[in-house]
Amino acid sequence: MNRPTGRVKPTGSITRGTTAPNRLRRIDRWLIDRECSRLRSLESPLVVDLGYGASPVTAGELRDRLQQHVSPDISVVGVEIDPARVADAQPLTDESLTFIHGGFELPTSARPDVVRAANVLRQYQESDVWPAWTKLCERMQPGGLLID
């Protein structure tokens, strides 16, 4: 199970958090189609749903799709900068799906193989995007995939 790595102030800011069931299904299908072989070759792959928004439903759907089509060993961590959203998501937590407070520093105990940051960076000022992108990439596994 992935727990926060320490008490680091999350980097980023709370955004509107628009989300709904099946909103990111096309991205999930693309991920499965393009990365299935690579993810299957990894031992216990870690995927992060960064900025999952007002509802944790997209993180749960991502986990379900990846476990069904790629590997039952995949873990998904929802990372959200709004502590209230993290608290609201806790009832959905299980062995393969966790929710933690954080931002672009990706406070997971392991480096993620995939980060899905759908619609997060586009809500920031252009001058803030590159530093956030750089921070994300520094925390990922070498050869990992960042989906924006």
Side-chain angles (χ1 to χ4, degrees):
M1 188 174 289
N2 288 285
R3 300 279 183 214
T5 58
R7 297 227 173 228
V8 175
K9 183 177 187 258
T11 54
S13 58
I14 297 172
T15 59
R16 66 182 180 273
T18 304
T19 192
N22 287 314
R23 184 169 189 260
L24 301 177
R25 70 186 177 281
R26 287 182 168 170
I27 293 172
D28 295 351
R29 288 179 184 153
W30 178 89
L31 173 61
I32 291 164
D33 181 61
R34 300 298 175 152
E35 295 292 310
C36 186
S37 294
R38 183 178 73 85
L39 290 171
R40 282 184 179 158
S41 73
L42 302 172
E43 186 176 325
S44 302
L46 174 61
V47 177
V48 167
D49 187 8
L50 178 66
Y52 57 83
S55 168
V57 68
T58 58
E61 289 173 344
L62 176 62
R63 186 268 321 262
D64 294 347
R65 289 179 181 121
L66 290 174
Q67 284 188 338
Q68 179 182 1
H69 297 287
V70 178
S71 170
D73 295 330
I74 285 184
S75 294
V76 172
V77 177
V79 176
E80 176 58 53
I81 199 161
D82 184 343
R85 293 175 185 168
V86 176
D88 290 346
Q90 292 311 307
L92 299 176
T93 296
D94 62 25
E95 299 240 345
S96 61
L97 179 64
T98 56
F99 298 92
I100 60 176
H101 181 236
F104 297 121
E105 74 286 349
L106 300 178
T108 55
S109 59
R111 290 173 163 246
D113 300 291
V114 175
V115 173
R116 184 181 69 183
N119 303 316
V120 174
L121 291 171
R122 72 182 181 95
Q123 297 181 60
Y124 284 81
Q125 295 295 318
E126 189 173 346
S127 60
D128 296 331
V129 171
W130 186 250
W133 183 276
T134 301
K135 187 173 290 252
L136 284 169
C137 291
E138 288 171 351
R139 280 289 299 137
M140 294 177 62
Q141 285 286 359
L145 176 67
L146 173 57
I147 303 171
D148 176 36

